[in-house]
């Protein structure tokens, strides 16, 4: 019976004693065969809990081999995998469970008390999973068979639902099919020359496209190993690097490494590849990295909705400040934001992409899908770019009001809606400004209600109960009025200029 992701990513490794996950010192932590036995026990558990193909499974768990095995279990059972940032508050999780209609919520035992009422209210079952693999889930799984016959899936059946925030403040679930994920993994593995001999240093979170699909699916597809760090930590990465051959990161990883004198040419001499994405890599960082290590970081560009779209070449020039050329099978054009007409080379417009990588639409939001996915299959990314003389894509900005901080997306509208409700606040504007560590960071500009004096620490504490910490403004200022144009629209560009030096 066919199950595209299982057949290509997992089936070849059944019973294999090859190492899959490695410890930071390069020693084997978990073999492929054992990983798949664990995944099969989890698949049996999901099935016994009553999950059927197409049901949604929400996972808000710390990064661990078991959390990764859950992804494999979801593929085997045909359950749609919906991973969540561990920083999300109970209020945020409520939205995702409710909107997706998930049957099961798996979370850290430490979050059980906060999330049990949410699950109960929404008719979902809650099961705990700790970072060390312990918890209710492993208790349920340990007596289950270590074999599971994967259910049949078609190429267009959903494998995952990944939420991405929207400009209205309401998150949208991007529906990703087996074909979307598999085709991208195949294209990337070939483009970046991954083989079974590779050891990928994995320090990314596994609840986003980058760490979950780009990194993990490539390793699974090619049979390579991963040094699976719980998170990015400069010391841990520096000590693990001698045992790796490749690393994937967001720009913050590379600026943090460059800030450390132990990060040298010798330390990276045996590495064959560093890739960067999820946020713009400054040309200065690319050059400083090349100077220090002799490696040119390979920058690529992607999105939750599309997986990866472009990449600098493995062989051939990796141009700083560009995200490279369209990947094999990806059609890319730069279009006029008003008319949708394709623009000539050199002109700035919106990036549109089409290909097997492009998602199936937003979960239960046909109008949103129609706004962004054209009937001919082109997806309107909202990223502004031009093509250089060699056809390389140069991203110059975004038409969407979005902040990318350390590789996490923050939609100002969502933060503004919360700030506007805070005591003493009449209205707010949230902007992104340059930040030396996170690339961009969040500044909130508040206007007080007449006669009120907003209490900043109280506002941050209250907003922090509702929004994940990484979304909170790292600076909040109170002004008399927001700058507006003649149409009454807040001039965020004026605010961005005014507060540009906030973190300099
Ligand atoms: C943590 N904090 C952040 C933050 N991460 N604030 C803003 N932006 C972030 N990205 C908060 C913490 O809660 C903490 O708050 C404070 O900032 C400092 O924390 P830290 O210890 O320095 O952060 P750290 O844990 O080291 O995390 C930073 C990071 C991490 C860069 C390592 O954010 C990360 O792993 N980012 C990768 C994101 C990613 O994988 N994106 C892929 C999206 S997929 P306080 O108040 O407690 O001090 C995608 C598609 C594509 O975009 O193309 O790939
Ligand atoms: P997400 O919705 O989290 O998948 O974020 C996708 C967005 O990240 C894209 O629309 C881009 O704005 C941005 N992005 C991803 N990779 C790059 C890159 N290499 N350079 C600039 N922006 C990027």
């Amino acid at each position: 019976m066919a199950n595209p992701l299982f057949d290509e990513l997992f089936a070849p490794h059944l019973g294999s004693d090859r190492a899959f996950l490695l410890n930071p010192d390069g020693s084997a932590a978990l073999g492929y065969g054992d990983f798949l036995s664990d995944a099969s026990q989890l698949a049996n558990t999901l099935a016994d809990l009553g999950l059927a193909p197409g049901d949604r499974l929400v996972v808000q768990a710390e990064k661990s081999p078991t959390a990764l095995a859950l992804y494999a279990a979801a593929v085997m059972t045909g359950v749609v995998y919906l991973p969540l940032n561990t920083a999300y508050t109970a209020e945020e999780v409520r939205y995702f469970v409710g909107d997706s209609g998930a049957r099961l919520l798996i979370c850290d035992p430490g979050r059980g008390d906060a999330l049990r009422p949410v699950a109960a209210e929404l008719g979902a079952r809650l099961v705990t999973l700790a970072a060390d693999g312990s918890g209710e889930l492993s208790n349920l799984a340990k007596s289950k068979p270590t074999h599971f016959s994967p259910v049949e899936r078609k190429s267009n059946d959903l494998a995952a639902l990944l939420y991405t925030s929207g400009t209205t403040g309401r998150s949208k679930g991007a529906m990703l099919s087996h074909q979307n994920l598999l085709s991208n993994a195949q294209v990337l593995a070939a483009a970046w020359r991954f083989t079974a001999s590779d050891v990928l240093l994995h320090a990314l979170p596994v609840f986003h496209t980058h760490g979950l699909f780009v990194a993990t699916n490539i390793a699974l597809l090619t049979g390579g190993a991963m040094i699976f760090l719980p998170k990015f930590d400069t010391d841990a990465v520096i000590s693990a690097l001698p045992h790796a051959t490749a690393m994937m990161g967001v720009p913050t990883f590379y600026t943090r490494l460059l800030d450390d004198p132990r990060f040298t040419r010798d330390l990276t001499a045996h590495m064959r590849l560093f890739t960067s994405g999820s946020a713009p890599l400054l040309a200065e960082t690319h050059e400083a990295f090349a100077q220090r290590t002799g490696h040119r970081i390979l920058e690529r560009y992607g999105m939750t909705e599309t997986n990866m779209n472009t990449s600098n070449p493995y062989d051939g020039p990796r141009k700083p400040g560009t995200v490279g050329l369209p990947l094999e099978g990806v059609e890319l054009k730069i279009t006029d934001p008003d008319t949708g007409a394709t623009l000539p080379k050199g002109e700035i417009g919106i990036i549109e992409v089409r290909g097997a990588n492009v998602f199936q639409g937003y979960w239960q939001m046909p109008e949103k899908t129609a706004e962004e996915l054209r009937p001919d299959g082109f997806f309107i990314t909202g990223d502004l770019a031009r093509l250089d003389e060699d056809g390389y894509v140069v991203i110059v900005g975004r038409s969407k009001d979005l902040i990318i901080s350390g590789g996490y997306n923050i939609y100002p509208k969502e933060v503004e809606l919360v700030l506007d409700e805070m005591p003493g606040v009449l209205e707010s504007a949230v902007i992104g400004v340059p930040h030396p560590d996170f690339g961009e960071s969040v500044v909130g500009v508040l206007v007080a209600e007449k006669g009120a004096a907003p209490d900043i620490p109280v506002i941050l504490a209250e907003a922090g109960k509702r929004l994940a910490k990484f979304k909170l403004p790292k600076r909040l200022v109170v002004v008399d009025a927001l700058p507006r144009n003649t149409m009454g629209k807040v001039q965020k560009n004026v605010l961005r200029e005014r507060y540009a030096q906030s973190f300099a």
Side-chain angles (χ1 to χ4, degrees), residues 309-374:
N309 297 310
T310 71
S311 171
N312 272 278
Y314 190 82
D315 301 312
R318 300 180 190 168
K319 294 197 200 178
T322 82
V323 294
L325 300 157
L327 283 159
E328 180 82 37
V330 178
E331 289 174 80
L332 182 146
K333 57 186 183 179
I334 307 291
T335 60
D336 182 308
D338 298 322
T339 64
T342 303
L343 294 172
K345 216 180 228 178
E347 286 191 25
I348 293 172
I350 297 205
I351 302 177
E352 295 193 26
V353 289
R354 176 165 73 178
N357 55 316
V358 174
F359 75 144
Q360 310 294 298
Y362 295 113
W363 175 257
Q364 293 181 341
M365 288 189 182
E367 309 80 26
K368 286 275 161 212
T369 303
E371 274 170 30
E372 295 178 36
L373 196 55
R374 295 189 190 278

Side-chain angles (χ1 to χ4, degrees), residues 203-205 208-211 214 231-232 250 252-253 256 277-278 300-304 308 405-410 437-438 441 469-470 474:
L204 289 156
H208 278 311
T209 298
H210 197 165
V214 181
K231 58 173 287 218
F232 180 88
V250 296
T252 300
F253 287 15
R256 287 187 183 183
S278 311
R300 82 340 173 247
Y301 155 69
M303 282 183 82
T304 300
M308 299 305 103
S405 166
Y408 287 150
N409 288 6
I410 299 156
D437 185 30
F438 292 127
S441 193
K469 238 176 175 183
F470 70 87
K474 297 220 190 285

Side-chain angles (χ1 to χ4, degrees), residues 34 59 70 114 135 152 155 168 202 216 261 268 283 285 288 304 312 325 417 444:
D34 290 340
V59 178
L70 262 176
E152 181 162 16
S155 294
T168 57
H202 193 304
T216 306
T268 59
T285 309
T304 300
N312 272 278
L325 300 157
L417 288 172

